[in-house]
Amino acid sequence: MTTFSSTPLLDGINWPSQLRELEREQLGELTKELRQFVLESVASTGGHLSSNLGTIELTVALHWVFNTPDDRLIWDVGHQTYAHKILTGRRERMKELRIKGGLSGFPKRSESEYDAFGTAHSSTSISAALGMATAFKQLGLSRKVVAVIGDGALTGGMAFEAMNNARNTGSDLIVILNDNEMSISRPVGALSNYLARILSGRVYNSVRKQGEKVLGVAPPILEMAKRWEEHFKGFVNPPATLFEEFGFNYIGPINGHDLDTLVSTLNNVKRLSGPQFLHIITKKGKGYEPAELDPILYHGVTPFDPAVGIIPKASNKPSYTQVFGEWLCDMAKEDSKLIGITPAMCEGSGLVEFSKTFPDRYFDVGIAEQHALTFAAGLAAEGLKPVVAIYSTFLQRAYDQLIHDIALQNLPVMFAIDRAGLVGADGATHCGSFDLTYLRCLPNMVVMAPADENECRQMLTTAYQWQGPAAVRYPRGNGPGVSIVQKLEAIEIGRAEVRRQGKQVAILAFGSLLGPALEAGQDLNATVVNMRFIKPLDEQLILDMALNHQLLVSVEENVIQGGAGSAVAEVLAKHGLTMPLLQLGLPDQWIDQGDPKLLLQEVGLDANGLRHAIETRLSSLQLRRSGT
């Protein structure tokens, strides 16, 4: 159990208004206490660590300089907002972080008025902040809006679309680039910090505005002066030119852990009008050496002892992600045309070994899901075999490309869809609740869901060999522990299998819920079918089940609306069969964070829940037949 350090200054800060009562000289001590509390709190509960340790100074400076919540802070993605939550009345709830009924790991409008916009997916902050700044302009309100975006999120095209639109709105908007990978700028020094203070200061900007008025009577000279300023900034710091071209006044880069520079610069920027772009350099894991040395390992953590650090635990059962990673390397050895693609999820999607073994065939396109899919389509159009490894919730962001660039052209792009179904602590924003629905409605698509690890490997091979778009969707975590056949074997497209023969009731299980379906089927003496394919369905087997049973039951870890059960209903309607069909799946509601097993139990998708739902429907049918 984690022992919490003494935090006398932080103990007196529950709200930003109390923070703003501190003397500027006290902010440094506050950041030390806040960083220690974040470390010890996350070590106790689990959660995102590296990113949160890197934004302590920035969070304190923002709440000290700006009048939150009237001034709006928008945090891109939002996995760097624990210090923000602690300073906005939620310190005591940190012990409930990411558990059912507890504190969300991301900003959430329903949780606090200080969470101005809900985030969890990348690259949305500038668009939302620009909308808010424009709304304040329309309403005549003098409020500031600040978007904090990381260098990773800046790879998303939506961020550039927003910046491109910013100058046309005439709104006051502040964008802070939290550059924590040194991916854009060289290291920051005293000269850069000094220039940032000068360029954001009142004197410089007053002279700048007066110069524009004077030179306004001679447009060519004014344009030349603006170009000189732009090129001067570009000479001092090359990234400045890019953002200045978008119409932003670029300032930076500055040291994001230097409180004096941060506070001074933010105070200056706050007084400027029009789009402002402040570039800061931070270090992930700042203040905790193990996280500084390995920020990826400490990005998302389970509870651990801060004094010892994370000790990786071996598992007897491979995760579905590991099954995919091993399959990808094995198939790449067999076929030189295989190309692996990921939108910035190398570790999460299991491509680390592939990226090392086949670096020339590995492409991380950044947080750019739309580009990832059309890039894959281009590869496929020229005869290569792209495999897109992507989370279910992230594939949603490229749906138009999936339709028009891949499915419509019937290109052989394979999708390895991880995190299907409920994912646990990350909550509703990361649940893969909709993929069966949005995939099966597309012509040319083949959609599969494995019930175990070996079947996952077989389906990956099947999808890869299919001469059109195909998807294998699998859940987060480990499978049931089935031994894996190493041979790369495919299975017959659209063929289900009966796993248990029973009477009266036929349970049609799709994917990971086969286990609880078999358990419920044993108690009810029901037939249980491992459907395996959502599209194409094994129509003949469904018809056989319908003709030989009194009740069909579909079971899926996907929303009921338009999902696999709906596909079964369509088959019955197509063949003119009218018989009872019980569709069991995720309900029509958002399911927040919590332990996946408990969440499945709550929505009735564990063995007991399935049995109870089936028994209730059978009782209803019997009463109906008896006329009572």
Side-chain angles (χ1 to χ4, degrees):
M1 184 176 180
T2 302
T3 301
F4 285 82
S5 302
S6 174
T7 54
L9 193 56
L10 179 60
D11 291 346
I13 307 296
N14 292 309
W15 302 101
S17 58
Q18 296 169 314
L19 167 63
R20 289 190 281 269
E21 292 175 1
L22 294 180
E23 297 297 327
R24 185 162 166 172
E25 293 74 20
Q26 295 177 284
L27 299 183
E29 180 59 32
L30 178 64
T31 60
K32 292 178 183 178
E33 293 184 9
L34 185 55
R35 176 169 279 113
Q36 191 63 28
F37 181 81
V38 168
L39 169 61
E40 293 167 354
S41 178
V42 177
S44 176
T45 63
H48 293 101
L49 183 60
S50 297
S51 51
N52 280 290
L53 292 177
T55 56
I56 300 297
E57 287 84 4
L58 175 61
T59 304
V60 169
L62 284 170
H63 281 293
W64 197 77
V65 170
F66 291 93
N67 185 33
T68 54
D70 288 345
D71 290 338
R72 311 297 200 214
L73 300 183
I74 314 299
W75 302 87
D76 209 287
V77 182
H79 56 209
Q80 74 280 49
T81 55
Y82 293 176
H84 163 78
K85 288 175 181 276
I86 292 164
L87 295 173
T88 54
R90 289 169 278 182
R91 178 182 176 181
E92 289 302 314
R93 295 189 63 196
M94 285 296 289
K95 59 180 177 291
E96 304 168 354
L97 183 69
R98 290 160 48 95
I99 65 173
K100 182 172 173 53
L103 205 61
S104 171
F106 301 98
K108 192 173 182 180
R109 281 171 58 85
S110 61
E111 189 177 284
S112 170
E113 63 177 332
Y114 290 89
D115 291 358
F117 196 80
T119 53
H121 283 194
S122 168
S123 313
T124 64
S125 62
I126 303 177
S127 294
L130 181 60
M132 292 178 177
T134 303
F136 291 150
K137 181 183 177 184
Q138 293 284 327
L139 297 170
L141 298 174
S142 298
R143 291 179 174 178
K144 297 296 181 180
V145 183
V146 181
V148 181
I149 185 169
D151 55 312
L154 201 63
T155 63
M158 186 175 174
F160 287 91
E161 293 174 20
M163 286 193 293
N164 187 54
N165 181 229
R167 80 166 89 197
N168 297 326
T169 66
S171 304
D172 294 341
L173 170 67
I174 300 170
V175 174
I176 297 177
L177 172 59
N178 176 31
D179 184 354
N180 52 33
E181 294 290 353
M182 300 296 190
S183 63
I184 295 180
S185 289
R186 56 186 177 272
V188 176
L191 176 61
S192 182
N193 283 347
Y194 173 73
L195 286 174
R197 293 192 191 194
I198 294 296
L199 294 175
S200 65
R202 286 183 176 180
V203 174
Y204 172 83
N205 283 278
S206 177
V207 171
R208 185 170 178 258
K209 287 185 177 180
Q210 289 302 317
E212 288 179 358
K213 288 181 181 180
V214 172
L215 296 176
V217 296
I221 300 177
L222 174 61
E223 182 63 25
M224 183 176 69
K226 286 184 176 180
R227 288 293 176 184
W228 180 89
E229 178 189 42
E230 183 180 307
H231 289 302
F232 169 72
K233 289 183 178 180
F235 175 77
V236 175
N237 183 33
T241 304
L242 170 65
F243 301 112
E244 293 275 349
E245 288 291 344
F246 277 109
F248 281 79
N249 177 42
Y250 176 92
I251 300 161
I254 65 173
N255 184 347
H257 301 299
D258 182 337
L259 260 176
D260 285 340
T261 299
L262 263 180
V263 169
S264 296
T265 306
L266 286 173
N267 267 318
N268 289 336
V269 170
K270 182 174 70 170
R271 299 184 181 99
L272 303 179
S273 59
Q276 308 296 320
F277 195 99
L278 174 60
H279 185 174
I280 71 170
I281 303 293
T282 61
K283 187 175 184 62
K284 280 188 175 180
K286 176 70 174 176
Y288 182 56
E289 186 176 5
E292 289 185 14
L293 295 174
D294 194 346
I296 293 175
L297 177 63
Y298 285 85
H299 171 69
V301 303
T302 54
F304 71 100
D305 183 351
V308 177
I310 294 175
I311 301 176
K313 297 178 181 178
S315 173
N316 294 326
K317 298 187 294 184
S319 68
Y320 282 101
T321 303
Q322 290 172 321
V323 171
F324 165 70
E326 292 173 7
W327 170 86
L328 189 66
C329 290
D330 291 344
M331 183 58 78
K333 293 172 186 174
E334 297 287 325
D335 188 354
S336 61
K337 292 185 176 181
L338 185 151
I339 304 293
I341 302 169
T342 177
M345 293 303 297
C346 179
E347 293 80 18
S349 292
L351 277 77
V352 173
E353 189 60 34
F354 177 83
S355 69
K356 295 176 180 176
T357 309
F358 304 96
D360 294 339
R361 290 195 268 160
Y362 165 74
F363 294 91
D364 183 343
V365 302
I367 304 176
E369 293 86 358
Q370 292 174 304
H371 166 62
L373 266 64
T374 305
F375 173 59
L379 290 166
E382 296 302 331
L384 295 180
K385 296 284 289 183
V387 177
V388 179
I390 192 167
Y391 287 9
S392 173
T393 186
F394 298 153
L395 181 56
Q396 297 162 184
R397 308 186 73 184
Y399 194 53
D400 184 68
Q401 287 68 30
L402 175 61
I403 295 173
H404 287 272
D405 299 336
I406 295 175
L408 181 63
Q409 302 187 88
N410 199 29
L411 290 170
V413 175
M414 175 189 158
F415 295 91
I417 304 176
D418 206 333
R419 270 59 167 186
L422 302 180
V423 296
D426 281 336
T429 56
H430 283 62
C431 286
S433 305
F434 312 106
D435 52 58
L436 296 187
T437 299
Y438 69 69
L439 288 172
R440 78 171 192 87
C441 65
L442 300 182
N444 297 332
M445 284 293 303
V446 170
V447 186
M448 294 168 263
D452 58 52
E453 302 93 327
N454 188 57
E455 196 167 69
C456 183
R457 184 175 171 88
Q458 291 176 320
M459 286 183 176
L460 291 167
T461 303
T462 306
Y464 185 76
Q465 294 177 353
W466 180 249
Q467 295 304 306
V472 181
R473 60 100 73 169
Y474 44 88
R476 181 177 188 173
N478 300 331
V482 172
S483 60
I484 298 174
V485 177
Q486 293 303 306
K487 186 178 179 181
L488 295 169
E489 296 179 322
I491 57 179
E492 184 179 349
I493 296 287
R495 179 60 62 90
E497 61 174 3
V498 177
R499 294 289 292 268
R500 186 186 189 282
Q501 191 65 55
K503 298 179 179 180
Q504 195 175 16
V505 177
I507 304 175
L508 311 179
F510 293 86
S512 59
L513 293 183
L514 176 64
L518 283 168
E519 189 176 337
Q522 180 69 33
D523 295 338
L524 296 167
N525 191 25
T527 297
V528 180
V529 180
N530 177 17
M531 291 301 296
R532 302 200 292 193
F533 289 84
I534 294 84
K535 187 177 186 179
L537 282 171
D538 192 335
E539 292 194 14
Q540 187 56 55
L541 189 142
I542 292 174
L543 295 177
D544 291 344
M545 293 296 110
L547 294 173
N548 292 286
H549 295 81
Q550 297 176 22
L551 173 65
L552 291 187
V553 181
S554 64
V555 179
E556 61 189 301
E557 197 172 343
N558 185 84
V559 292
I560 294 173
Q561 289 81 358
S566 295
V568 173
E570 291 162 12
V571 170
L572 298 177
K574 173 183 174 182
H575 293 275
L577 291 177
T578 56
M579 72 167 300
L581 170 63
L582 174 60
Q583 293 173 241
L584 300 178
L586 298 178
D588 185 22
Q589 65 188 56
W590 299 110
I591 299 175
D592 277 329
Q593 72 268 11
D595 180 272
K597 291 183 179 179
L598 295 178
L599 293 176
L600 285 173
Q601 179 181 335
E602 186 175 87
V603 298
L605 293 179
D606 63 337
N608 289 333
L610 298 180
R611 183 176 61 251
H612 175 73
I614 295 169
E615 288 174 338
T616 301
R617 180 58 60 88
L618 284 174
S619 297
S620 174
L621 292 173
Q622 290 167 359
L623 287 172
R624 215 174 291 168
R625 291 192 186 103
S626 66
T628 59

